[in-house]
């Protein structure tokens, strides 16, 4: 026997022994939910007597699990900085793509039902090729059908088991199927049941045990911080490249860190059945969804919702069975009569309780008297009612939460009682969130290693619409340096958050209800937002009706939200109106031109008048000047004596 097989056998025995009590009780919880609620001893004791099973356990389980189905959490990435927002959007698109392609909501729902029913559920993150002729891989989220097929490391303490160093997923295969799939591998029984438990033998009868043995080993590594702020792993870096970084002074600091390597070996009780698989993740990709865990001296006690409902349920079944038995033992002929009175009518009286008879004949004067049946023991009914109330108390689910009519009459009171039930079971939702946070960390660790080639991926939006995104696409930057579009190898987010909320369809229904109620109080909302209300309704033709309602909205309303749509919604121009407007514009233009011409004429006439006035003034000035100047004769007479004197 190889060492790895021996190690796997010892590991599964250790896990089974440590968790033996929890596993036994969990199996009983599952059987109880399925309706197997009478013990073998009770069946022997009540042989040939009524054994009624009124299964309320499954109702309580679904009362907690189904609201989580309707409000399934979603995983989102929070960018560490503004520069990471674009990669965060790509990561969120990949999360939606992986979960949509995996039908992850159904996977989570199965794990939640197991958590509520028996205290723990499991699912896994796996990888697979896109097709048989492709090298591109895809990440998938898959269910683990039987939660008790997982044997975890008992030293792990985290509720999401992120710290477990090994884990096994085991199942019993039909021997003939094993021999066909693994030809040449031993299928004979090699051991006796472990610790007397027939569920733990590795071979026997018509079945052979096959197990996935996952191991997580610490691998030391050396990391370096570069001048540009990047952190790189230089453990296996080629010496030439490392020397070049050192010579260029790019390395600021180095330190030793912890790394992890996860592998999986598929084994039977004697052989290794397949080559070792190296997982592209530093965590074992198996995620539990845990109910309630209570630390005790002898170990951890784990339970779900049904554990403490089982005994009241058994007593409820018992008292109802005893009541039915008591009714069945009542006399079949509830009449007291003389034999002579019904002698010749015996056949009629014998069949009175089988076939409808309009009358019953008898002889004599004294009519047969009806005998009242013995009363049903009131104690049985009271005890059954007490056990019914005890089931509600142990699960925290009361009449209002179960849909039954109770003392509450107002909607607020009913909602308050439902909220009390939700508070009593909210820890199941919180534990699911914790597990999905770890799922997000696993996905973030695997994405850069699986989506490591240049691809164009179809992403899913919240509303189900598809968009395309290029990843790992080489290109040339503006400065001429090579760069990568959406380089997923640089995707290193430290924050993963889980958002609880209704699905997209549920949000649409809630939006319709809220807007309808609001429009009743404020009618203007219905007039201005009728297209939004109808668009969120889920009926054939809702989109077309919404478009028609939007088409009749006032243009200013559409303009406020979508200017381009408002322009497109504008009515086409009327040719006659356009010609009329052009004629009016031409008339106005002609009138304006005529006015301008008249104004020019008036200005010219005014100028002429102005020039004329200026000419008259000049003429008058010349005349005045001429009158003031002496004449030539006067100047001659004045100059004559002067010449004579000389």
């Amino acid at each position: 026997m190889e060492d790895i097989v021996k190690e796997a056998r010892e590991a599964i025995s250790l896990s089974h022994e440590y968790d033996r009590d929890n596993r036994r009780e969990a199996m009983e919880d599952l059987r109880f939910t399925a309706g197997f609620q009478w013990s073998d001893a009770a069946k022997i004791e009540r042989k040939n007597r009524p054994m009624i099973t009124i299964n309320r356990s499954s109702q309580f389980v679904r009362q907690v699990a189904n609201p989580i189905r309707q409000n399934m959490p979603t995983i989102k990435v929070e960018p560490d900085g503004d520069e990471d927002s674009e990669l965060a959007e790509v990561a969120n698109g990949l999360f939606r793509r992986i979960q949509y392609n995996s039908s992850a909501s159904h996977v989570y729902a199965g794990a939640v039902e197991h958590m509520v029913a028996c205290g723990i559920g499991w699912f896994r993150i796996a990888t697979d090729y896109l097709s048989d002729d492709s090298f591109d891989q895809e990440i998938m989220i898959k269910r683990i059908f039987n939660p008790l097929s997982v044997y975890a490391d008992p030293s792990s303490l985290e509720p999401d088991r992120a710290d477990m160093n090994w884990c096994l997923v085991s199942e019993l295969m039909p021997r003939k199927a094993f021999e066909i799939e693994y030809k040449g591998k031993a299928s004979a029984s090699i051991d006796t049941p472990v610790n007397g438990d027939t569920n733990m033998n590795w071979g026997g009868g018509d079945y052979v045990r096959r197990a996935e043995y996952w191991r997580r080993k610490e691998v030391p590594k050396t990391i370096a911080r570069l001048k540009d702020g990047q952190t790189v792993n230089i453990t296996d870096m080629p010496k030439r490249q490392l020397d070049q970084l050192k010579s260029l002074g790019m390395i600021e600091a180095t330190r030793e860190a912890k790394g992890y390597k996860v592998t999986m070996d598929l084994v039977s009780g004697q052989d290794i059945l397949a080559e070792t698989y190296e997982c592209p993740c530093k965590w074992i990709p198996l995620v539990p969804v845990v109910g309630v865990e209570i630390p005790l001296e002898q170990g951890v006690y784990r339970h779900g919702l049904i554990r403490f409902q089982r005994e009241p349920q058994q007593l409820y079944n018992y008292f109802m069975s005893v009541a039915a038995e008591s009714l069945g033992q009542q006399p079949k002929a509830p009449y007291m009569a003389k034999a002579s009175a019904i002698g010749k009518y015996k056949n009629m009286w014998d069949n009175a309780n089988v076939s409808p008879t309009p009358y019953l004949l008898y002889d004599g004067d004294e009519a047969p008297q009806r005998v009242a049946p013995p009363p049903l023991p009131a104690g049985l009914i009271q005890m059954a009612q007490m056990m019914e109330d005890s089931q509600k108390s142990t699960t925290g689910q009361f009449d209002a939460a179960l849909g039954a009519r109770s003392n509450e009459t107002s909607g607020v009171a009913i909602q308050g009682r439902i909220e009390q039930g939700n508070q009593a079971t909210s820890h199941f939702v919180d534990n699911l969130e914790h597990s999905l946070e770890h799922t997000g960390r696993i996905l973030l660790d695997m994405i850069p290693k699986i989506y490591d080639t240049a691809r164009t991926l179809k992403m899913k939006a919240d509303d189900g619409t598809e968009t395309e995104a290029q990843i790992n696409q080489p290109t040339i930057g503006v400065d001429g340096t090579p760069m990568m579009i959406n380089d997923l190898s640089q995707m290193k987010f430290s924050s993963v958050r889980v958002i609880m909320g209704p699905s997209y369809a549920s949000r649409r229904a809630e939006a319709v209800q809220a807007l309808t109620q609001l429009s009743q109080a404020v009618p203007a909302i219905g007039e201005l937002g009728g297209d939004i209300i109808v668009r969120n309704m889920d009926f054939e033709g809702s989109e077309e009706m919404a478009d028609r309602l939007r088409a009749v909205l006032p243009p200013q309303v559409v303009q406020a939200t979508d200017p381009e749509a408002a322009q497109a919604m504008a009515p086409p121009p009327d040719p006659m109106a356009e010609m009329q407007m052009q004629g009016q514009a031409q008339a106005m233009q002609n009138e304006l031109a005529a006015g301008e011409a008249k104004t020019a004429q008036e200005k010219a006439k005014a100028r002429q008048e102005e020039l004329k006035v200026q000419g008259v003034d000049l003429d008058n000035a010349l005349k005045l000047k001429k009158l003031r100047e002496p004449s030539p004769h006067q100047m001659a007479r004045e100059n004559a004596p002067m010449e004579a004197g000389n």
Side-chain angles (χ1 to χ4, degrees):
M1 185 187 301
E2 299 191 33
D3 292 340
I4 188 66
V5 176
K6 182 179 179 181
E7 185 179 331
R9 289 166 58 85
E10 292 175 351
I12 198 172
S13 297
L14 175 63
S15 177
H16 180 269
E17 181 62 27
Y18 177 82
D19 210 32
R20 172 189 293 274
D21 294 337
N22 285 326
R23 299 179 71 85
R24 183 181 63 251
E25 294 294 332
M27 177 57 70
E28 189 62 28
D29 290 338
L30 293 175
R31 287 178 53 82
F32 223 75
T33 305
F36 299 96
Q37 298 177 354
W38 289 88
S39 65
D40 294 337
K43 290 179 181 179
I44 295 173
E45 191 270 332
R46 294 191 62 83
K47 185 177 181 180
N48 298 326
R49 299 168 66 186
M51 288 188 297
I52 296 175
T53 300
I54 303 175
N55 186 6
R56 304 197 68 197
S57 301
S58 59
Q59 178 190 13
F60 288 116
V61 169
R62 282 162 179 75
Q63 193 65 35
V64 176
N66 286 349
I68 301 178
R69 283 177 180 262
Q70 297 171 354
N71 299 275
M72 189 57 69
T74 56
I75 311 171
K76 287 195 175 182
V77 173
E78 280 189 338
D80 295 332
D82 294 338
E83 67 278 2
D84 297 327
S85 59
E86 187 172 349
L87 270 183
E89 184 59 35
V90 174
N92 287 325
L94 278 171
F95 279 4
R96 289 189 292 268
R97 170 191 173 96
I98 293 169
Q99 294 181 98
Y100 179 83
N101 292 341
S102 305
S103 296
S105 60
H106 301 292
V107 175
Y108 302 152
V112 166
E113 282 204 14
H114 289 149
M115 168 186 64
V116 177
C118 68
I120 191 168
W122 289 84
F123 60 89
R124 68 168 77 218
I125 294 93
T127 60
D128 198 1
Y129 289 101
L130 288 175
S131 61
D132 293 337
D133 55 356
S134 173
F135 286 94
D136 291 335
Q137 295 188 69
E138 189 82 17
I139 299 176
M140 304 294 289
I141 299 173
K142 297 186 177 182
R143 72 169 184 167
I144 295 178
F145 181 69
N146 182 3
L148 301 182
S149 66
V150 182
Y151 296 83
D153 179 3
S155 66
S156 58
L157 300 177
E158 295 294 332
D160 54 16
R161 303 298 190 265
D163 57 339
M164 61 183 176
N165 293 317
W166 54 265
C167 185
L168 292 100
V169 183
S170 172
E171 63 177 348
L172 289 173
M173 287 186 65
R175 184 175 302 279
K176 290 188 177 181
F178 180 89
E179 292 172 351
I180 293 173
E181 186 170 353
Y182 303 105
K183 294 181 179 179
K185 303 296 183 179
S187 62
S189 177
I190 61 170
D191 59 356
T192 57
V194 177
N195 297 321
D197 190 340
T198 56
N199 291 327
M200 280 306 302
N201 61 320
W202 283 83
D206 295 330
Y207 292 91
V208 178
R209 184 173 296 278
R210 178 182 65 178
E212 303 172 14
Y213 182 34
W214 294 86
R215 292 179 296 169
R216 178 174 180 255
K217 293 183 178 180
E218 184 177 318
V219 178
K221 63 179 182 179
T222 304
I223 60 174
R225 185 178 70 235
L226 305 183
K227 279 190 173 181
D228 58 2
Q230 294 187 33
T231 301
V232 296
N233 184 0
I234 61 175
T235 306
D236 299 323
M237 183 177 291
K239 186 175 183 302
R240 182 177 179 181
Q241 183 179 357
L242 182 60
D243 292 341
Q244 186 178 6
L245 288 176
K246 291 180 178 179
S247 62
L248 295 175
M250 294 292 294
I251 299 178
E252 288 188 340
T254 61
R255 73 175 183 88
E256 297 298 319
K258 291 181 179 180
Y260 295 94
K261 179 180 180 181
V262 176
T263 59
M264 188 274 288
D265 291 281
L266 189 64
V267 301
S268 66
Q270 299 186 68
D271 296 317
I272 298 176
L273 304 178
E275 294 182 0
T276 300
Y277 167 73
E278 187 170 338
C279 180
C281 183
K282 61 182 179 182
W283 292 286
I284 295 176
L286 303 173
V287 182
V289 185
V290 181
V292 179
E293 289 188 323
I294 303 173
L296 302 174
E297 292 182 358
Q298 61 271 31
V300 175
Y301 181 74
R302 183 175 60 247
H303 68 86
L305 185 75
I306 300 302
R307 186 68 49 82
F308 305 112
Q309 185 260 347
R310 281 166 29 190
E311 290 185 358
Q313 173 74 71
Q314 286 177 320
L315 288 173
Y316 182 77
N317 291 340
Y318 172 76
F319 288 122
M320 295 303 290
S321 299
V322 172
E325 183 179 14
S326 178
L327 286 174
Q329 290 174 348
Q330 292 182 7
K332 300 295 183 182
Y335 284 93
M336 183 178 294
K338 293 180 179 180
S340 59
I342 63 172
K344 58 183 179 181
Y345 307 114
K346 185 176 184 301
N347 187 52
M348 179 184 294
W349 284 86
D350 288 344
N351 294 296
N353 64 332
V354 177
S355 60
T357 304
Y359 49 82
L360 294 172
L361 302 176
Y362 65 93
D363 288 331
D365 297 332
E366 186 177 353
Q369 299 296 318
R370 181 182 292 274
V371 179
L376 184 67
L380 293 176
I381 302 302
Q382 291 176 356
M383 288 300 296
Q385 291 175 347
M386 291 175 61
M387 292 304 102
E388 186 176 5
D389 292 337
S390 297
Q391 294 179 63
K392 300 171 188 176
S393 300
T394 56
T395 59
Q397 302 294 303
F398 296 93
D399 290 338
L402 296 171
R405 186 172 182 177
S406 57
N407 294 331
E408 297 85 358
T409 55
S410 68
V412 175
I414 293 173
Q415 188 61 37
R417 180 58 63 90
I418 293 175
E419 186 61 28
Q420 288 180 6
N422 293 340
Q423 291 295 330
T425 57
S426 62
H427 55 283
F428 292 114
V429 181
D430 185 68
N431 291 351
L432 174 62
E433 289 186 33
H434 198 106
S435 297
L436 292 187
E437 287 177 0
H438 183 50
T439 302
R441 289 190 289 269
I442 292 175
L443 292 177
L444 283 178
D445 191 52
M446 294 178 73
I447 282 174
K449 303 164 188 174
I450 299 301
Y451 301 93
D452 58 347
T453 58
R455 299 196 218 175
T456 300
L457 297 177
K458 290 184 178 180
M459 304 291 192
K460 286 288 181 182
D462 283 337
D463 59 359
T465 57
E466 288 189 349
T467 59
E468 290 188 350
Q470 293 182 339
I471 61 172
N472 305 321
Q473 294 286 349
T475 185
I476 303 297
V478 179
D479 56 355
T481 58
M483 60 178 297
M484 194 82 73
I485 299 176
N486 292 330
D487 185 5
L488 297 190
S489 64
Q490 303 301 316
M491 191 175 68
K492 299 176 181 177
F493 300 105
S494 59
S495 301
V496 177
R497 62 190 175 107
V498 177
I499 298 179
M500 284 298 297
S503 65
Y504 179 70
S506 298
R507 292 199 304 270
R508 289 180 61 185
E510 290 175 0
V512 170
Q513 183 178 3
L515 289 173
T516 302
Q517 293 176 352
L518 193 59
S519 63
Q520 292 175 354
V522 186
I525 292 177
E527 297 175 1
L528 301 178
D531 60 317
I532 299 176
I533 298 175
V534 175
R535 196 179 300 277
N536 282 287
M537 292 182 176
D538 191 11
F539 65 87
E540 188 174 355
S542 61
E543 293 290 336
E544 182 180 355
M545 179 59 70
D547 292 339
R548 294 185 181 186
L549 289 173
R550 186 174 176 80
V552 298
L553 287 175
Q556 59 270 26
V557 176
V558 182
Q559 177 72 26
T561 57
D562 193 348
E564 295 182 0
Q567 185 176 1
M569 291 170 59
D574 186 0
M576 296 300 296
E578 188 174 356
M579 291 178 62
Q580 185 177 3
M581 291 180 63
Q582 290 178 354
Q584 292 176 354
Q586 186 65 39
M588 292 178 63
Q589 188 174 1
N590 294 338
E591 185 177 353
L592 181 61
E596 291 178 351
K598 184 177 180 180
T599 303
Q601 290 178 358
E602 291 177 351
K603 287 183 178 180
K605 186 176 180 179
R607 180 62 178 168
Q608 290 178 356
E609 293 293 334
E610 184 180 358
L611 292 176
K612 185 176 180 180
V613 171
Q614 290 179 356
V616 171
D617 292 342
L618 181 61
D619 186 50
N620 292 334
L622 291 175
K623 288 180 179 181
L624 181 62
K625 183 179 180 182
K626 188 175 182 180
L627 290 174
R628 291 177 178 176
E629 290 180 355
S631 65
H633 298 285
Q634 292 177 346
M635 293 179 64
R637 284 195 301 269
E638 293 176 354
N639 294 331
M642 293 178 62
E643 294 177 354
N646 293 335

